Amino acid sequence: MPLMVEQFMCRSDNFGVLLHDAGTGETAIVDAPEEAPILAAIERTGWRPTLILTTHHHGDHVEANLALKQRFGLSIVGPRAEAAKIPGIDRTVVDGETFLFSGHEVRVIETPGHTAGHVCYFLPGA
Ligand SMILES: [Zn+2]
């Protein structure tokens, strides 16, 4: 089943994104810039998050990690090269690695530049 996407403003200059599989009910949060707008999006959609996909360690991408982990018991994936700077990280990933989110293949692509360890997540089937 294709993933549904909910995008919304976080902070004054950033976005929050939820990915949802209506078949399984699983939801991923792509980065966690700010707790309140993410909670509002969760409430609006009714999508309960199970995972955070972290692209890089900057505060405006990980600020709500621990609060969301405590609230929802979700797990946090992020780049191995920045693991020490990503609050609550459970699993580290590297370039070329693949894993499943709700049955969808997620490919990890390292995209250094903005930060040395930045990664992108590509879901080719979704
Ligand atoms: Zn950044």
Side-chain angles (χ1 to χ4, degrees):
M1 182 169 284
L3 294 177
M4 300 168 71
V5 178
E6 177 78 5
Q7 186 178 32
F8 47 93
M9 290 300 300
C10 280
R11 298 174 172 254
S12 60
D13 61 352
N14 212 334
F15 291 104
V17 174
L18 303 181
L19 303 176
H20 179 71
D21 185 323
T24 66
E26 289 189 63
T27 301
I29 302 170
V30 182
D31 286 335
E34 185 180 14
E35 185 181 16
I38 294 171
L39 290 178
I42 290 167
E43 189 151 319
R44 185 169 62 247
T45 59
W47 301 347
R48 185 177 176 84
T50 53
L51 179 71
I52 295 175
L53 298 171
T54 305
T55 62
H56 68 291
H57 74 271
H58 284 163
D60 62 341
H61 289 254
V62 301
E63 181 188 277
N65 274 17
L66 293 179
L68 293 168
K69 186 172 191 174
Q70 184 171 24
R71 185 182 294 266
F72 296 106
L74 48 71
S75 61
I76 299 174
V77 172
R80 181 165 303 163
E82 301 186 350
K85 299 176 183 173
I86 297 172
I89 192 166
D90 296 295
R91 175 177 177 174
T92 62
V93 293
V94 297
D95 188 55
E97 187 171 343
T98 64
F99 60 94
L100 292 178
F101 162 66
S102 190
H104 298 274
E105 181 190 19
V106 181
R107 294 184 195 164
V108 178
I109 303 170
E110 286 181 359
T111 50
H114 179 63
T115 64
H118 192 289
V119 298
C120 292
Y121 299 97
F122 176 45
L123 288 78

